[in-house]
Amino acid sequence: MGWAVVLGVPAACWIERSVLDKGGGLWHLGPPMSELPKAYEPQAVEAKWYAAWMDGKCFEADPASAKEGYSIVIPPPNVTGILHLGHVLNNALQDILARRARQQGKEVLWLPGTDHAGIATQTKVERQLRDEEGVGRRDVGREEFLKRVWQWKEKHGGIIIQQLKRLGCSCDWSRERFTMDAAYSKWVSQVFVDLFKQGLIHRGKRMVNWCPVSLTALSDEEVIMTPQRSKLYTMRYELADAAGEYIEISTTRPETLMGDTAVAVNPKDPRYVNHVGRKVKRPFPPAEIPIIADEHVDLAFGTGALKITPAHDKADFEIGVRHGLEIIDVLHPDGRIHCPACPDLDGLDRFVARKKAVAKLEAMGLLIKVEEYDNNVGFSERAHVPIEPRISMQWFLKYPCVQQAADAVANGDIKFRPERWAKTYAHWMENLQDWCISRQLWWGHQIPVWYRKDKFAALRDAESLDMHDLGAGDIHVGVDAPADAASWVRDEDVMDTWFSSWLWPFATMAEVGEESPTLRKFYPTCDLVTGPDIIFFWVARMIMAGFQFAGGVPFKNVYFTTIIRDLQGRKMSKSLGNSPDPIDLMEKYGADGLRFGLMRIAPVGSDVRFDETSVEEGRNFANKLYNACRFRQMAGEGNAGSLTLPERNTGVPPVREDSASRLSALETTGSKPVVHDRQDACPPVNPPISAGAGAGALQQDQLPPYHLDIIAKLDALAAGLEESYAEYRFGEIAQRLYEFLWSEFCDKFLEAVKLDLRESATPEARAATLGTFDAVMSRYLQLMSPYMPHITEELSARMGYVREGEYLMQQVLPATPLLTVDAAAAQARAAAIYEAAGRMRNLKAEYKMGSRKDVRFVIKSAPAWLADESKVLALLVGAAEIRLDSAYEAVKGTPAAVTPLGEVYMPLEGLIDVAAERVRLSKEIERIELEVKKCEGKLGNASFVERAPPEVVVQETARLAEWHTKLQQLGEMLAALT
RNA sequence: GCGCGGUUAGCUCAGUGGUAGAGCACCUCCCUGACACGGAGGGGGUCACAGGUUCGAACCCUGUAUCGCGCACCA
């Protein structure tokens, strides 16, 4: 029984069975089929192998291993997240790195997990609460609300983890972490306490970015500056001491004028030298406010006079502090106006109030003009509404280890790729502002600070009270609550989500205070793969935390991915609906196809425009690979033993029991293969074609040129990949893999050796060819494996390149080249033949015989060795015969070409029915003459030339020229026939 | 305003001083025993523009245009 029969069961069929029968039991063949499916069907194969890898614990990292460690921590996706193409790119890259490291014999830890995503998650659950129960979070209370969030997380959270598995990610899932895990939370508190004790964390009233929808403070990084088309209002305030005299002021925010406590001008402004120190009348609520002089005011902008609203603008606040101005807050936290003195505005939304305030000014005759104006407005990253600068009591962190962190990147201890991001990083590090780490949310790590109950109310009410005003006995900062908890009350705020994320590389590997073997083995991590958009949010902060808490850099290399855009160059986003669902793409093209397609385009250049056709290419490539192997199966067993059915179903696809014999296809028949221990650091997947095995073994120097050529090219591929990996050039790797398989292996080698697999071939030729195929393909599949893990595993198993119970993904890549002899001469011959074949096919096509098989060629002055290869050449060219004849005298007009193999002639006689061909040519000529007439008629028509668009005329002219050329060619061919 | 990146075939993109490339799309022929998710052949580019360096420039330098991104300002 041969392979064709075993593999005759459609993949999907036996996979289903194997899944159903997964506990063991006999595996039976379905109804016999004649052939493997022609097209590769990835879905079931991918699911099957992922399950097998998990069963085999292939992804689990052993800190006790003697092997060199290699580690990556995943950038934890939001627990609410749904997989998008950015995730796919990012995680496919990490998977490639992890799988490649395993092939290099390293002990690999790819540590996965999710992020609790404070605002995003809380918002989601709040919305659900509102939709389903019609209540807000305050209605249910903090404790109950948090219970709901956890419930939601257990039920819906982590969808993205399942999706990453679908993609084939080889994470050590036994170590999955969540930023709200108890152990992780302890780290967060501990870090807060430590930093507090060092005096780096403090609490105070400051101007922060306030999100009126989420009702929380945001860090500067969470504010997105967005260009807006706004209006610039110019109004006038009357001078208090000179009725009828005004000062003109421009503003974009008239709705905050109730909070104005001054008007500022530049001290150098000649227009206003006489104004400084006087007072103007604020229109509503009526008040007299001073005109002050401050350097900050730009003389050139607007009227040169600036209204100062210290409560609602960062710059105004600073001016207010400098001049000791009163701070009047006229906004509620949710963005509504708070101004009882103006009842008509009080309680209105800020944007509604703006219109009303303008109307009021106009009615009072104080509005001068309204202009269209483009400016930038800060938007909340999550809630997508304009933020409000707002003064509030918050916790701030002064960043630790800034200099060390900056130096680490500058001096190359941490290497950024592409390197240019180092500059962006350096710039940010030089301009650090304190980090506002408190958030007025419930979902997150609560600030580990307790206040004495009796003092707490005072703290809350007295807005000026700073934490540092509290006596040491009134505040407790610690990981655990104070002993007499009843008399304390905890700070209500939670921490910014990034305040937990920045600990990720080490907090996932060890508990607080734990002597962790994992940390010792795998920290610092080797590579971090992430998007440049979170270089400040996450990367920079992790580096600082690494120095502060883990004694050094958290990673050695950072690979910044590209941003995936749509074909119009827009960012992928849910609201635009331009983001294809990766799961759909995987259903359609397979995870391997998606991975490979993305790898070919995405990791190069800056941004990348995503086009589904690239995924289609990936799918097509997988199919090509599959069919190359299918070809091998159809060619039969060669000198290998016969097939038997696997006795047990292990959840792994059926593999020949004696698959080892395939591994030694060219070794002595009957010799027992060495069985490699799983722990063996370097088991060869497939021994190189033996150069010295026992009787019957083929020597490499006896192989035909095509064989040596492809072996040499495989070695070159392996070496090339080594270089590309060293430079993280993932697109280049994909391209090299693609070209080898398609252009070299399939288009050349496979075509050249087909004769060796025909019935008529000698057993030796057949054995040599199958052996070469297996040697090259087995190693190629291994090289391919990090990019397309599923199909390569499948094919390696089916082809018997990997023993039952073992996995390709665990095999170490052999360092030795396959080639053991000098192949330069053979490669030169192969190259000459391939090139000559191309030239000869050109000739055929030129004479419109591209698809005919009865063409005969004569080669004059051919090298002697070509005699052995002329049949192969004939096959490559698609010729009936290739004659080597040094004495050949070509008839005049015989088509000819110069090739590396000598002059090649393509005599036409006997090829075609001359009479019929003449008729055909004559008819063709007639047809074209007609076209020419049409063309000429058109171009001769004055009104066409004048009225038609110029490009159409040009096109028509070009067409005419083409017809003329063609006509001449056909004429020559006709002449050659007579 | 400062900085970074891009501009190469119809499209998406490679290409670090030596004859302009790939895939897709297009045209012609072919369902030939691995593959039509395929094979053979073909057309198509003033490498954004202008200077410069060089024997030689898509590539190095200078400037311009244009698109995108980041930072700062924005009354």
Side-chain angles (χ1 to χ4, degrees):
Chain A
M1 184 178 293
W3 266 100
V5 176
V6 172
L7 298 174
V9 186
C13 166
W14 58 260
I15 285 151
E16 260 171 45
R17 294 199 56 115
S18 77
V19 169
L20 285 174
D21 294 344
K22 210 170 166 180
L26 287 179
W27 184 83
H28 298 290
L29 270 179
M33 308 271 284
S34 56
E35 218 177 82
L36 270 165
K38 276 188 169 184
Y40 175 58
E41 292 154 9
Q43 283 70 24
V45 170
E46 292 177 348
K48 171 191 67 180
W49 280 108
Y50 202 84
W53 291 325
M54 290 290 277
D55 284 351
K57 300 194 184 307
C58 297
F59 305 154
E60 292 186 18
D62 175 13
S65 167
K67 297 184 203 168
E68 185 188 342
Y70 175 90
S71 53
I72 305 180
V73 289
I74 205 169
N78 289 352
V79 70
T80 56
I82 303 290
L83 194 74
H84 57 65
L85 279 173
H87 291 124
V88 172
L89 172 62
N90 183 263
N91 289 286
L93 285 166
Q94 293 173 69
D95 196 42
I96 287 166
L97 288 169
R99 289 174 182 272
R100 172 77 179 180
R102 287 189 193 98
Q103 293 190 327
Q104 290 174 324
K106 295 179 183 167
E107 185 67 25
V108 171
L109 169 61
W110 181 12
L111 206 161
T114 48
D115 190 295
H116 67 280
I119 299 182
T121 309
Q122 173 161 326
T123 307
K124 207 156 240 185
V125 177
E126 274 186 290
R127 191 180 312 136
Q128 183 188 299
L129 212 54
R130 192 162 305 123
D131 292 350
E132 291 176 7
E133 301 172 40
V135 293
R137 74 178 209 247
R138 285 172 211 285
D139 299 323
V140 299
R142 186 167 188 146
E143 201 176 326
E144 174 64 18
F145 180 74
L146 289 178
K147 220 166 93 189
R148 302 292 185 97
V149 182
W150 278 105
Q151 280 169 1
W152 185 92
K153 187 248 170 189
E154 296 310 325
K155 199 169 167 196
H156 303 106
I159 291 174
I160 195 162
I161 295 298
Q162 295 313 311
Q163 294 178 315
L164 289 174
K165 289 177 179 172
R166 173 70 185 89
L167 186 63
C169 293
S170 58
C171 304
D172 183 350
W173 298 110
S174 71
R175 294 169 182 270
E176 188 181 334
R177 296 286 186 269
F178 178 50
T179 51
M180 291 279 279
D181 286 342
Y184 198 101
S185 297
K186 196 172 174 194
W187 263 115
V188 177
S189 297
Q190 184 66 52
V191 158
F192 183 99
V193 172
D194 285 353
L195 292 169
F196 179 85
K197 285 186 175 154
Q198 288 181 45
L200 293 170
I201 286 182
H202 48 105
R203 187 172 190 257
K205 259 186 113 176
R206 286 205 213 167
M207 183 67 80
V208 295
N209 309 296
W210 183 265
C211 174
V213 169
S214 310
L215 298 179
T216 178
L218 299 174
S219 67
D220 292 344
E221 286 70 28
E222 290 166 288
V223 177
I224 312 295
M225 296 308 281
T226 313
Q228 292 289 300
R229 170 123 283 200
S230 315
K231 287 195 165 71
L232 182 65
Y233 304 91
T234 301
M235 55 193 183
R236 56 181 187 176
Y237 285 180
E238 191 174 27
L239 287 162
D241 56 5
E245 202 178 322
Y246 295 91
I247 184 165
E248 293 184 4
I249 302 158
S250 294
T251 181
T252 52
R253 301 210 58 191
E255 74 276 17
T256 62
L257 77 80
M258 300 84 79
D260 288 6
T261 50
V263 169
V265 297
N266 191 294
K268 295 195 193 94
D269 196 330
R271 290 171 292 183
Y272 300 118
V273 278
N274 295 325
H275 290 71
V276 177
R278 296 164 72 186
K279 290 195 167 177
V280 294
K281 288 181 178 169
R282 188 182 64 196
F284 49 87
E288 292 190 356
I289 56 177
I291 297 176
I292 58 173
D294 194 283
E295 297 281 351
H296 172 262
V297 181
D298 179 359
L299 287 82
F301 191 94
T303 63
L306 171 61
K307 78 186 193 73
I308 304 297
T309 322
H312 301 292
D313 184 281
K314 213 170 176 179
D316 288 7
F317 177 74
E318 284 159 18
I319 292 173
V321 169
R322 279 201 287 276
H323 297 268
L325 298 176
E326 189 190 352
I327 296 169
I328 304 174
D329 191 333
V330 295
L331 283 172
H332 288 293
D334 62 2
R336 285 178 306 114
I337 300 295
H338 170 64
C339 184
C342 295
D344 48 345
L345 293 174
D346 191 37
L348 290 181
D349 176 80
R350 50 192 167 149
F351 300 112
V352 178
R354 179 176 301 174
K355 285 182 188 143
K356 190 121 188 195
V358 170
K360 280 182 68 146
L361 286 169
E362 196 167 15
M364 295 166 83
L366 298 176
L367 188 68
I368 308 288
K369 61 179 171 183
V370 181
E371 297 159 281
E372 292 290 318
Y373 179 63
D374 294 321
N375 66 345
N376 285 324
V377 175
F379 275 66
S380 157
E381 192 201 20
R382 288 277 161 219
H384 311 290
V385 294
I387 56 105
E388 281 297 337
R390 181 164 188 263
I391 297 162
S392 62
M393 189 66 84
Q394 301 290 344
W395 290 93
F396 295 91
L397 169 69
K398 189 178 278 300
Y399 287 102
C401 299
V402 175
Q403 196 56 47
Q404 280 166 287
D407 290 347
V409 173
N411 68 21
D413 287 349
I414 296 176
K415 199 158 168 10
F416 279 11
R417 296 160 208 275
E419 254 174 292
R420 65 187 141 90
W421 292 112
K423 213 167 179 173
T424 307
Y425 171 83
H427 184 257
W428 190 73
M429 292 298 286
E430 282 163 20
N431 296 284
L432 283 179
Q433 304 287 314
D434 286 355
W435 176 9
C436 175
I437 54 172
S438 48
R439 296 289 179 275
Q440 287 63 54
L441 305 172
W442 286 351
W443 176 241
H445 302 100
Q446 197 169 351
I447 304 265
V449 174
W450 285 259
Y451 311 103
R452 272 212 182 279
K453 256 187 187 158
D454 44 342
K455 300 278 179 168
F456 179 66
L459 184 80
R460 246 185 166 174
D461 301 339
E463 301 235 312
S464 61
L465 182 64
D466 194 283
M467 163 202 74
H468 298 288
D469 298 335
L470 289 169
D474 299 330
I475 181 166
H476 170 87
V477 179
V479 173
D480 300 308
D484 52 336
S487 52
W488 295 80
V489 58
R490 188 169 185 176
D491 193 297
E492 291 192 351
D493 289 353
V494 300
M495 287 178 245
D496 180 4
T497 302
W498 296 103
F499 193 86
S500 56
S501 313
W502 74 326
L503 314 176
W504 188 249
F506 57 87
T508 49
M509 290 191 191
E511 297 194 9
V512 174
E514 180 199 5
E515 170 52 31
S516 157
T518 301
L519 196 70
R520 202 179 321 116
K521 178 84 186 170
F522 295 109
Y523 188 92
T525 62
C526 303
D527 294 315
L528 176 76
V529 180
T530 191
D533 49 333
I534 54 174
I535 190 166
F536 308 138
F537 274 122
W538 196 46
V539 179
R541 289 167 178 169
M542 275 194 290
I543 296 173
M544 291 185 270
F547 277 106
Q548 176 75 14
F549 304 109
V553 298
F555 30 71
K556 295 172 209 143
N557 298 290
V558 183
Y559 184 87
F560 289 106
T561 59
T562 56
I563 292 171
I564 300 181
R565 299 175 178 281
D566 70 4
L567 279 175
Q568 282 84 50
R570 299 173 306 180
K571 244 180 173 169
M572 298 276 179
S573 83
K574 240 185 270 173
S575 52
L576 279 174
N578 60 350
S579 175
D581 183 349
I583 298 297
D584 291 346
L585 291 172
M586 285 192 263
E587 285 309 309
K588 205 166 159 192
Y589 302 108
D592 288 340
L594 174 61
R595 291 166 62 123
F596 195 80
L598 220 45
M599 283 308 130
R600 282 189 75 197
I601 56 163
V604 287
S606 48
D607 290 358
V608 83
R609 292 172 188 227
F610 176 78
D611 187 346
E612 192 171 318
T613 59
S614 53
V615 184
E616 199 178 331
E617 283 169 33
R619 188 267 317 256
N620 293 354
F621 182 67
N623 188 57
K624 188 75 177 177
L625 181 59
Y626 168 84
N627 271 292
C629 290
R630 181 167 163 262
F631 172 64
R632 165 68 180 88
Q633 302 297 23
M634 287 174 150
E637 283 308 301
N639 64 343
S642 64
L643 269 175
T644 52
L645 292 175
E647 299 220 328
R648 287 184 312 112
N649 170 22
T650 56
V652 174
V655 181
R656 309 164 25 166
E657 280 196 335
D658 61 342
S659 63
S661 65
R662 172 71 62 83
L663 295 177
S664 54
L666 293 188
E667 282 178 336
T668 314
T669 327
S671 72
K672 284 282 175 196
V674 184
V675 176
H676 296 279
D677 190 67
R678 273 280 288 278
Q679 271 70 44
D680 188 331
C682 195
V685 165
N686 195 358
I689 296 169
S690 167
L698 267 178
Q699 307 289 326
Q700 279 199 10
D701 54 16
Q702 293 171 359
L703 289 174
Y706 324 101
H707 300 51
L708 289 173
D709 180 55
I710 199 66
I711 292 170
K713 280 172 174 162
L714 189 270
D715 285 341
L717 171 69
L721 294 187
E722 192 79 44
E723 279 175 31
S724 300
Y725 271 115
E727 292 165 44
Y728 294 75
R729 302 175 72 135
F730 297 100
E732 190 175 88
I733 293 165
Q735 197 56 32
R736 286 180 196 261
L737 286 164
Y738 186 95
E739 270 168 16
F740 175 85
L741 194 268
W742 208 303
S743 308
E744 301 298 338
F745 191 81
C746 290
D747 287 354
K748 298 198 179 93
F749 173 72
L750 235 43
E751 293 303 322
V753 301
K754 275 182 175 169
L755 276 181
D756 294 339
L757 301 176
R758 295 232 168 116
E759 307 276 312
S760 54
T762 64
E764 291 77 21
R766 184 182 181 77
T769 297
L770 293 180
T772 302
F773 185 107
D774 289 336
V776 172
M777 181 55 80
S778 61
R779 195 169 287 189
Y780 177 78
L781 288 172
Q782 202 179 0
L783 291 170
M784 189 73 221
S785 167
Y787 275 66
M788 297 184 130
H790 310 90
I791 188 175
T792 49
E793 193 77 65
E794 168 77 2
L795 292 174
S796 294
R798 281 206 192 190
M799 304 286 286
Y801 297 152
V802 173
R803 291 172 192 78
E804 188 169 359
E806 294 186 3
Y807 300 97
L808 178 67
M809 68 157 288
Q810 291 185 316
Q811 310 281 347
V812 171
L813 200 55
T816 47
L818 275 182
L819 192 70
T820 56
V821 298
D822 179 9
Q827 284 203 271
R829 287 182 183 185
I833 286 173
Y834 293 136
E835 193 187 334
R839 297 276 164 86
M840 290 157 84
R841 287 192 291 235
N842 288 350
L843 263 190
K844 281 175 70 182
E846 207 175 305
Y847 286 84
K848 298 275 170 264
M849 297 190 292
S851 304
R852 289 181 62 164
K853 298 287 179 197
D854 54 350
V855 183
R856 285 159 204 280
F857 287 86
V858 180
I859 303 183
K860 222 175 151 177
S861 64
W865 58 264
L866 189 58
D868 297 334
E869 308 301 335
S870 63
K871 279 189 174 162
V872 173
L873 186 57
L875 187 76
L876 290 174
V877 173
E881 183 202 23
I882 289 178
R883 189 152 57 86
L884 309 183
D885 183 355
S886 54
Y888 180 71
E889 290 291 337
V891 181
K892 207 180 170 193
T894 303
V898 179
T899 78
L901 299 175
E903 251 172 83
V904 173
Y905 294 91
M906 186 177 73
L908 296 172
E909 71 260 19
L911 256 188
I912 41 186
D913 178 339
V914 175
E917 182 64 5
R918 265 148 128 184
V919 171
R920 192 185 69 84
L921 284 174
S922 305
K923 272 189 182 166
E924 185 74 357
I925 289 171
E926 261 176 50
R927 191 181 68 84
I928 291 177
E929 279 173 342
L930 215 88
E931 294 285 351
V932 168
K933 256 186 206 164
K934 261 203 235 165
C935 257
E936 284 174 344
K938 244 182 177 175
L939 287 166
N941 182 345
S943 69
F944 168 77
V945 177
E946 281 163 26
R947 287 183 168 186
E951 63 268 21
V952 174
V953 178
V954 170
Q955 200 182 327
E956 203 64 27
T957 314
R959 190 175 293 165
L960 180 63
E962 264 178 47
W963 291 131
H964 276 303
T965 316
K966 205 153 198 175
L967 213 49
Q968 195 187 340
Q969 277 177 359
L970 291 170
E972 279 167 16
M973 285 171 72
L974 192 60
L977 287 178
T978 33

